[in-house]
Amino acid sequence: RPEHACGSRYKQLWAMGFSKFQYWMLFTTSASVFGTLQAFYSPALLQSKQFSLAAEQVSPLAGRLFGCWTLLASAIRFSYTMNLDNIPLYRLCVFTFMVAMGIYNYEFWVTETIPLFPNLMAPMVFALPSFLWLLISPPYANKPKDE
């Protein structure tokens, strides 16, 4: 029986021998790309799901800017995931998580535009473990074992 194209691509990806770190980063990058699409196509979602305590401050322009930042951060994270030896990409990747955590904490603690649950906690579930994983292991420690 012929194998479905999507299933064979998934098996090819799995067979590439990525490390757990790389799979985690691919997962978080995918979630970020989804967030980018939401920001571009539905600022109302940003108003109701992210910045719900100050929905009137979220304009379509702010949504697009938020989407651009998220897309740029996703591209940097994906690039580092595919190039674990690249020290400048490693530093940029760490920085993207610092900025993401900084933005959300600023919005929660200073401007009070987002509530703790789920608006602050949802991004932190991705950003904080990723940031810590990056900090406690040098770039070469996240390479697949067979290399």
Side-chain angles (χ1 to χ4, degrees):
R1 156 182 151 186
E3 201 166 321
H4 189 272
C6 183
S8 66
R9 289 197 196 284
Y10 176 76
K11 286 181 181 177
Q12 287 173 350
L13 180 66
W14 191 260
M16 291 176 78
F18 287 159
S19 66
K20 290 177 185 173
F21 172 78
Q22 287 173 299
Y23 283 116
W24 171 254
M25 289 297 289
L26 288 172
F27 175 69
T28 60
T29 299
S30 299
S32 291
V33 169
F34 179 70
T36 297
L37 295 174
Q38 285 182 329
F40 276 119
Y41 296 110
S42 183
L45 280 174
L46 281 177
Q47 291 171 335
S48 64
K49 301 289 184 194
Q50 297 232 348
F51 302 100
S52 58
L53 299 180
E56 70 283 350
Q57 294 180 28
V58 181
S59 67
L61 174 61
R64 290 189 302 274
L65 288 172
F66 188 80
C68 285
W69 155 254
T70 306
L71 184 61
L72 176 61
S74 299
I76 291 169
R77 293 168 189 166
F78 179 78
S79 296
Y80 175 63
T81 301
M82 295 299 137
N83 300 285
L84 295 178
D85 290 330
N86 191 316
I87 302 300
L89 274 178
Y90 166 78
R91 291 177 180 152
L92 283 171
C93 190
V94 169
F95 184 70
T96 65
F97 287 112
M98 288 172 57
V99 170
M101 290 185 300
I103 288 170
Y104 279 99
N105 277 292
Y106 179 82
E107 294 296 331
F108 176 73
W109 295 102
V110 178
T111 63
E112 299 177 353
T113 58
I114 61 174
L116 180 61
F117 291 102
N119 303 40
L120 176 63
M121 295 315 304
M124 290 301 141
V125 165
F126 293 105
L128 187 58
S130 302
F131 177 72
L132 293 175
W133 201 338
L134 283 163
L135 287 184
I136 63 173
S137 61
Y140 56 81
N142 292 315
K143 292 182 79 170
K145 294 193 188 251
D146 59 307
E147 290 187 0

